[in-house]
Amino acid sequence: MIEYFKRHPDKVIEPLLQHIELVLITLVISIAVTSVLTVIAMRSERVSRVMNNVLAVVYSVPSLALFALLIPVTGLGRTSAIFVLTLYNQYLLLRNFTTGLREADPAACEAAKGIGMTDMQILYKIRLPLARKAIFAGIRLAVVSTIGIGTIAAAINAGGLGVLLLEGLRTIHTAKILWGSILSAGLAIIINRLLKLVENRM
Amino acid sequence: MSVIIYDKVCKRFESSKGYAVDHVSAEIGEGEFITILGSSGCGKTTLLKLTNRLYDPDSGRIMVAGKDISSVDPVELRRSMGYVIQQVGLFPHMTIRDNITAIPALMKWDRKRIDDRADELLSLVGLEPSEFRDRYPHQLSGGQQQRVGLARALVLDPDIMLMDEPFGAIDAITRLNLQNELMRLHRELGKTILFVTHDINEAFKLGDRVMVMNEGRLLQFDEPHEIARHPADDFVSTLIESARSQEHFWTENEE
């Protein structure tokens, strides 16, 4: 295994970097999309519930099936992967964002309304800062989930650590399988730990 | 001159059978200290929240300073009245100064004016500005927090103050101090105050006039000694009796 890395360092490092890139791009797009959805969801309890239910159904579709379904639409490659991963993230992010914002100190929100803040001002000035921990927890979950599901994206040519796993499995190449699994699991565990540390400081 | 007029105001909630507020009519004069007395669920908080459009009535009209409030923008209306609640509801992530001046900051007052106003109000409610302005709410006692709540409500110098059981969660001795200071503030600032409470002693001590409410209806609206002398119905007499019997307990113990 170490031998394999010494001989082909690029074949290990490149998928790792690709994977991190995939996760980062997905994360940025996901947060942007969720922010818009959150503002919509905060306006009405009912809309929020419908959105959550729809996203829960989407989330329950196995990732390989969803990737396959999208090939006719967005084709093979990274765009499809980012699309699917963003879709999955919406469930994790939106639920955490809206719950955190809704459950922000009710007395503070009531007082804010009573002294004459608009709903938007309450959202940005009171709820958002008070919900930052829940929001950050949602982001952490989404990152870890993206790292995991992202390995399957290799099946539609999106690159990343999944490439090592798939190739390794096809050719029964133990070193590749080990590098693929250790790096993807390690990445998820380390990032989770780091983000958890930040979260606890908030 | 009446500054607030309730004209056959009704409000009911989907979840309950009867009216929360049932055809309430009353007129409140400028500068009056009005207490609204009743047990929980009698509609006293609903009546208060109808006054700054946290709720809108199903029927009837509320006039404030000569204007039907249904035609006034709710945010504007709320900014023209102070609002204080039992849970205080200070913003935990803001300093005391930022709590007091949250609305002026949104209205883009300049820094100097904001700082001066915060200090002025802290002094007014009996908190030393240099000691308190940079603290966070959780570093204050319950009584101190409510003083800040009061300062926040006064920041735009409103003519009307709405107070929903502001001292309900505060220990007896601190409450007594706060009551006395509120009476002092009322004398000094001459604001119209609507003060909701379930404590008959508090209602009679503070109020120039007292509204007695039960099951959404306004049973009696008069000066405390008038209510004590001529209770309007059985409910009010029972209320007075209960307060008297407690008083008895103390005088007997002294003898």
Side-chain angles (χ1 to χ4, degrees):
Chain A
M1 197 185 147
I2 305 293
E3 195 62 26
Y4 178 78
F5 180 72
K6 277 183 184 157
R7 260 187 292 136
H8 312 285
D10 54 315
K11 286 199 173 166
V12 175
I13 290 171
E14 201 179 317
L16 177 64
L17 293 179
Q18 269 179 4
H19 206 84
I20 293 173
E21 196 185 351
L22 183 72
V23 171
L24 283 178
I25 295 173
T26 304
L27 184 67
V28 170
I29 298 176
S30 297
I31 292 175
V33 175
T34 311
S35 305
V36 176
L37 294 183
T38 303
V39 172
I40 298 169
M42 288 305 287
R43 285 173 183 267
S44 140
E45 193 94 30
R46 202 184 315 159
V47 172
S48 162
R49 213 167 20 223
V50 171
M51 281 162 73
N52 263 317
N53 288 341
V54 171
L55 289 172
V57 171
V58 173
Y59 192 73
S60 67
V61 177
S63 48
L64 200 53
L66 204 52
F67 283 129
L69 278 174
L70 267 167
I71 292 175
V73 188
T74 43
L76 286 170
R78 220 160 62 160
T79 318
S80 294
I82 291 171
F83 188 90
V84 170
L85 293 171
T86 303
L87 207 55
Y88 278 135
N89 278 345
Q90 293 315 305
Y91 176 64
L92 300 172
L93 290 174
L94 188 68
R95 219 183 30 172
N96 269 275
F97 282 23
T98 51
T99 311
L101 292 169
R102 283 234 163 77
E103 288 172 0
D105 190 346
C109 295
E110 194 197 332
K113 188 163 187 182
I115 62 171
M117 285 198 193
T118 65
D119 288 344
M120 270 298 166
Q121 287 165 348
I122 297 172
L123 184 58
Y124 286 110
K125 298 281 175 187
I126 311 297
R127 291 187 188 274
L128 190 61
L130 293 181
R132 63 187 187 282
K133 208 164 175 165
I135 287 171
F136 197 80
I139 293 174
R140 180 173 54 81
L141 282 176
V143 171
V144 172
S145 142
T146 308
I147 293 172
I149 303 175
T151 56
I152 301 168
I156 56 162
N157 271 352
L161 289 168
V163 174
L164 276 175
L165 287 167
L166 284 181
E167 280 180 12
L169 284 170
R170 202 164 43 222
T171 55
I172 321 193
H173 193 307
T174 318
K176 281 189 179 176
I177 297 176
L178 281 176
W179 274 117
S181 30
I182 290 170
L183 285 179
S184 51
L187 191 63
I189 292 168
I190 291 168
I191 299 277
N192 188 41
R193 273 286 164 82
L194 285 177
L195 293 181
K196 188 89 197 177
L197 278 179
V198 179
E199 194 180 314
N200 289 339
R201 293 247 174 124
M202 291 178 104
Chain B
M1 202 202 109
S2 300
V3 65
I4 303 175
I5 300 171
Y6 298 98
D7 183 12
K8 300 195 232 20
V9 176
C10 293
K11 175 73 185 173
R12 61 196 307 176
F13 294 104
E14 282 169 29
S15 50
S16 65
K17 286 174 270 135
Y19 284 100
V21 168
D22 188 356
H23 295 85
V24 168
S25 295
E27 295 195 12
I28 292 163
E30 208 175 322
E32 273 194 294
F33 196 142
I34 303 294
T35 50
I36 309 175
L37 172 66
S39 41
S40 60
C42 73
K44 57 193 192 301
T45 292
T46 307
L47 187 67
L48 200 73
K49 288 184 171 182
L50 285 163
T51 314
N52 67 353
R53 293 198 64 187
L54 286 171
Y55 298 142
D56 283 322
D58 297 327
S59 63
R61 252 184 350 156
I62 302 171
M63 310 282 289
V64 171
K67 266 191 278 185
D68 185 337
I69 59 168
S70 64
S71 63
V72 181
D73 174 58
V75 168
E76 287 300 312
L77 183 73
R78 287 172 205 145
R79 288 184 184 181
S80 75
M81 300 180 185
Y83 187 62
V84 183
I85 57 175
Q86 182 178 343
Q87 310 86 322
V88 192
L90 294 183
F91 312 132
H93 57 297
M94 294 185 193
T95 62
I96 297 309
R97 172 183 37 216
D98 291 348
N99 262 280
I100 295 173
T101 56
I103 295 290
L106 289 171
M107 297 168 74
K108 306 261 183 288
W109 284 20
D110 63 64
R111 192 72 243 176
K112 169 109 176 61
R113 189 169 169 212
I114 284 180
D115 290 349
D116 290 349
R117 184 66 178 145
D119 284 2
E120 184 187 356
L121 284 166
L122 279 170
S123 308
L124 185 71
V125 298
L127 298 174
E128 173 54 39
S130 60
E131 190 183 335
F132 284 95
R133 64 167 90 90
D134 293 320
R135 290 205 203 170
Y136 284 87
H138 68 91
Q139 296 169 308
L140 270 59
S141 71
Q144 290 168 338
Q145 287 189 16
Q146 195 54 288
R147 285 170 193 265
V148 176
L150 189 59
R152 180 175 63 180
L154 286 165
V155 72
L156 294 180
D157 199 18
D159 295 326
I160 299 168
M161 296 285 286
L162 307 178
M163 310 184 75
D164 192 357
E165 302 209 37
F167 309 145
I170 287 166
D171 70 86
I173 295 171
T174 312
R175 191 190 314 151
L176 209 66
N177 284 331
L178 285 171
Q179 287 170 349
N180 292 337
E181 287 204 42
L182 185 62
M183 290 171 81
R184 171 182 63 85
L185 284 177
H186 178 245
R187 273 196 309 275
E188 284 175 13
L189 306 173
K191 299 194 183 299
T192 310
I193 299 180
L194 265 70
F195 185 108
V196 163
T197 177
H198 63 262
D199 177 351
I200 183 168
N201 292 313
E202 186 170 62
F204 279 42
K205 172 183 174 184
L206 297 178
D208 296 326
R209 288 195 294 159
V210 182
M211 288 181 164
V212 186
M213 288 186 72
N214 187 38
E215 291 174 346
R217 280 174 306 122
L218 177 57
L219 301 180
Q220 193 165 8
F221 183 22
D222 215 328
E223 290 168 20
H225 63 92
E226 277 301 312
I227 294 178
R229 229 175 302 164
H230 309 291
D233 66 2
D234 290 347
F235 180 85
V236 184
S237 338
T238 319
L239 201 67
I240 304 287
E241 278 313 308
S242 74
R244 281 230 174 89
S245 67
Q246 279 182 347
E247 220 167 280
H248 241 82
F249 173 75
W250 296 115
T251 43
E252 272 170 20
N253 274 1
E254 274 165 26
E255 278 160 12

